[in-house]
Amino acid sequence: MAGQPVIRPAAQSDIPRMAQLAGELVRLHHAADPSRFMLVDRVEEGYGWWFRRELARGGTVLLVACEADRVVGYVYGTLEERDWNLLLDAHGAVHDIFVDGVSRSAGIGGKLLDAILSELERLGAPRIVLSTMVGNHAAQRLFARHGFRPTMLEMTRSGSAGP
Ligand SMILES: CC(C)(COP(=O)(O)OP(=O)(O)OC[C@H]1O[C@@H](n2cnc3c(N)ncnc32)[C@H](O)[C@@H]1OP(=O)(O)O)[C@@H](O)C(=O)NCCC(=O)NCCS
């Protein structure tokens, strides 16, 4: 049986593994609705570039969950300023949360979420917002358990010329 996962800030050396998990997150969304969720070529490479950039700037929270020194999950969020388009004042945003398939349903997602919510609040986020794909009930149950309520519904119309 695996021991308790360790949740810690991501390091540069974690980026390849995080990018691999992020690639799975992208593919999961793309498979569910390819006309809404993009899948670009070399998506892991792209995510690696993005995470390196994000780690280097302030206002970003990137945490990993490790079991026996292996990264089995990550969570990524940012502090955001007032957004007039979203009618949303200063806030924290949780962008990604992912736990490796074999490590799920053992509390790791909950621990990652607890940790990022605490960190975003410590950094001053007066509210925290996230988006979750329609039909992703496992994620929605996790978020509801952590105090999130549905507040906005995105709608997509696929163009006739689009894929
Ligand atoms: C959503 C996700 C992050 C949850 O991660 P997780 O590690 O499985 O989360 P938890 O273990 O904390 O909770 C999952 C379930 O396990 C249960 N659980 C937690 N610890 C447990 C334990 N020790 N024994 C048995 N069950 C347990 C929880 O109660 C929960 O049950 P529920 O699904 O019936 O509500 C994970 O499913 C995932 O990575 N999914 C794919 C990516 C994704 O959808 N990300 C969200 C995009 S918005």
Side-chain angles (χ1 to χ4, degrees):
M1 197 176 124
Q4 282 294 309
V6 172
I7 311 292
R8 61 163 174 78
Q12 290 284 343
S13 56
D14 296 317
I15 287 179
R17 172 65 175 152
M18 286 167 55
Q20 187 184 24
L21 297 176
E24 286 189 45
L25 182 68
V26 172
R27 288 175 212 287
L28 178 147
H29 284 81
H30 182 74
D33 187 344
S35 89
R36 163 59 182 85
F37 296 102
M38 69 179 192
L39 176 59
V40 300
D41 288 343
R42 298 185 300 168
V43 64
E44 288 80 8
E45 214 174 290
Y47 248 107
W49 166 81
W50 179 254
F51 284 150
R52 262 186 293 280
R53 208 182 83 152
E54 286 296 272
L55 259 187
R57 75 172 181 97
T60 296
V61 184
L62 270 164
L63 306 173
V64 291
C66 299
E67 277 180 336
D69 287 339
R70 178 172 167 76
V71 170
V72 295
Y74 79 96
V75 65
Y76 159 49
T78 52
L79 280 182
E80 300 290 336
E81 294 178 354
R82 176 175 298 164
D83 186 325
W84 287 83
N85 292 332
L86 292 177
L87 314 182
L88 183 54
D89 217 334
H91 61 285
V94 177
H95 301 295
D96 295 359
I97 181 166
F98 192 93
V99 175
D100 197 0
V102 294
S103 298
R104 288 184 194 155
S105 295
I108 296 174
K111 287 190 168 72
L112 280 168
L113 195 54
D114 276 339
I116 197 166
L117 298 180
S118 299
E119 184 58 11
L120 287 169
E121 283 169 3
R122 191 188 69 75
L123 292 170
R127 62 191 64 74
I128 299 176
V129 175
L130 55 77
S131 297
T132 170
M133 181 173 67
V134 167
N136 190 347
H137 302 298
Q140 287 157 23
R141 284 195 302 275
L142 175 72
F143 300 142
R145 270 200 303 281
H146 286 76
F148 287 87
R149 59 192 161 84
T151 42
M152 184 67 121
L153 177 65
E154 179 189 271
M155 299 177 77
T156 299
R157 178 176 187 270
S158 300
S160 52

